[in-house]
Amino acid sequence: MRVGVLTGGGDCPGLNAVIRAVVLKGMDVHGWEFVGFRNGWRGPLTGESRPLGRDDVEGILTRGGTILGSSRTNPYKEEGGPDRIKAVLREQGIDALIAIGGEDTLGVAKRLTDEGVHVVGVPKTIDNDLAATDYTFGFDTAVHIATEAIDRLHTTAESHHRALVVEVMGRHAGWIALHSGLAGGASVILVPERPFSVEQVVQWVERRFEREYAPIIVVAEGALPEGGAEVLQSGEKDAFGHVRLGGVGTWLAEEISQRTGKESRAVVLGHVQRGGTPTAYDRVLATRFGLHAVDAVADGDFGVMVALRGTDIVRVKLSEATAELKTVPAERYAEAEVFFG
């Protein structure tokens, strides 16, 4: 059997661990050949690929990013895109495809499955917003990076008696903000799921200042002020219809300064959350996902995504995996509110 592998969407710590697990188990247990398609769905569209063997993957477990490259290419926005992919897979003798990605990448995988392409999905996103799996790899690393940044910012905020607003990733789901904010002892956590009152945030900030404690506010990039709109870094949309968010942290820091008279600064963590070495948890989870993806291919069980349920790896339909986003529920946010102000 000849199996293709691709990584789509935003890069994520742990992608290389999945590739490594897939190739090593597929070769050693089944004797398969592997082809890595370059730059997400652009690879099968254009035929750009590379062979994947033991020498290509043995040293990549600890590396961030992806050796295959990635992109936000949407084949369904390209003229004849799905048919071009099918033709490339036939030309290169690909019997099955393992697609590693988030909602957009796996949404394409689902549509291609409906058209007869043999695809198995692996969930990847630092946002942890895929509803069919308890956790996605990359999330733990992103939270660890954000938490370490918050830990470091506490000391400089206290030294200068200023408020610091930390903007983290999270377009529609605030899991990174929630977990890193709780772990880092933030004074306020703001998530996209719950529009926030600037007046309430200011009250919490002032309460902290009254106790001579420098406040840290953690805000997800997609968080919305009540009656307001998302803060856009760019109005241009990508191939999946997403605009580029960014700037809510700076906007909020300015509002806090104006309303309290206290110095306030914004720190945007941005893509640093995606980069670098994956945590041990993400390496293990990514490896397990890769091993079970190979099992699904071996069983001929296509149109599924491997998922974490409790401590077990299970298979779910791609249709279920991409049906809705997993957002922060009200009760989880209420747990964090106890610590605000």
Side-chain angles (χ1 to χ4, degrees):
M1 181 176 280
R2 189 170 168 87
V3 179
V5 183
L6 65 82
T7 55
D11 67 301
C12 178
L15 283 167
N16 286 324
V18 179
I19 297 169
R20 170 181 175 270
V22 164
V23 172
L24 293 183
K25 182 170 185 177
M27 291 179 62
D28 291 350
V29 175
H30 301 288
W32 296 344
E33 292 182 42
F34 285 90
V35 173
F37 285 103
R38 300 282 298 167
N39 303 320
W41 288 112
R42 188 185 304 164
L45 267 174
T46 63
E48 186 180 0
S49 64
R50 55 172 286 188
L52 286 176
R54 178 176 297 277
D55 291 343
D56 300 299
V57 303
E58 279 196 325
I60 66 173
L61 174 65
T62 62
R63 287 176 55 185
T66 165
I67 62 170
L68 296 178
S70 190
S71 74
R72 296 191 181 278
T73 301
N74 183 351
Y76 287 90
K77 294 292 185 180
E78 303 285 337
E79 185 175 354
D83 289 335
R84 287 159 57 188
I85 286 179
K86 294 174 192 175
V88 167
L89 296 181
R90 286 194 300 269
E91 290 167 4
Q92 299 201 16
I94 303 299
D95 302 296
L97 186 63
I98 295 176
I100 311 166
E103 56 168 325
D104 295 325
T105 300
L106 297 182
V108 171
K110 189 268 180 189
R111 294 179 70 175
L112 287 172
T113 296
D114 292 343
E115 297 184 30
V117 179
H118 293 163
V119 187
V120 170
V122 177
K124 170 259 7 162
T125 168
I126 65 171
D127 292 331
N128 197 41
D129 59 359
L130 284 172
T133 182
D134 289 348
Y135 284 98
T136 55
F137 69 87
F139 172 66
D140 187 70
T141 303
V143 169
H144 179 82
I145 292 168
T147 301
E148 183 179 11
I150 295 167
D151 289 346
R152 293 177 180 274
L153 291 169
H154 272 294
T155 57
T156 184
E158 291 165 6
S159 297
H160 292 275
H161 313 291
R162 60 166 62 118
L164 282 177
V165 180
V166 185
E167 182 182 316
V168 300
M169 285 186 168
R171 175 183 297 276
H172 301 299
W175 292 107
I176 295 176
L178 180 69
H179 280 238
S180 63
L182 278 171
S187 308
V188 182
I189 301 169
L190 305 174
V191 298
E193 294 85 345
R194 182 166 178 169
F196 63 89
S197 162
V198 178
E199 289 77 13
Q200 178 64 77
V201 172
V202 168
Q203 289 177 21
W204 282 323
V205 167
E206 289 180 327
R207 194 181 307 166
R208 284 291 174 125
F209 276 128
E210 288 169 1
R211 298 202 299 269
E212 297 186 355
Y213 188 93
I216 301 286
I217 300 93
V218 177
V219 56
E221 63 185 348
L224 294 169
E226 291 178 349
E230 295 172 321
V231 179
L232 305 182
Q233 189 176 97
S234 169
E236 184 179 351
K237 295 182 179 181
D238 66 17
F240 292 95
H242 301 310
V243 293
R244 185 180 301 175
L245 300 180
V248 66
T250 300
W251 176 84
L252 183 59
E254 292 173 354
E255 288 289 319
I256 291 171
S257 292
Q258 292 174 8
R259 297 181 187 224
T260 66
K262 300 285 189 178
E263 186 179 5
S264 180
R265 300 286 181 85
V267 177
V268 181
L269 297 185
H271 286 77
V272 70
Q273 295 160 92
R274 292 191 181 280
T277 301
T279 60
Y281 180 88
D282 278 340
R283 295 182 206 181
V284 172
L285 180 58
T287 297
R288 294 183 71 200
F289 277 158
L291 298 176
H292 282 263
V294 168
D295 291 342
V297 173
D299 293 341
D301 192 6
F302 301 113
V304 301
M305 181 191 83
V306 292
L308 180 69
R309 296 280 176 85
T311 57
D312 297 327
I313 306 295
V314 300
R315 301 174 194 170
V316 298
K317 293 295 184 182
L318 281 169
S319 56
E320 177 187 350
T322 57
E324 61 180 357
L325 291 179
K326 179 178 65 182
T327 55
V328 176
E331 59 271 21
R332 287 294 302 276
Y333 189 74
E335 293 173 353
E337 282 187 302
V338 173
F339 302 101
F340 292 1

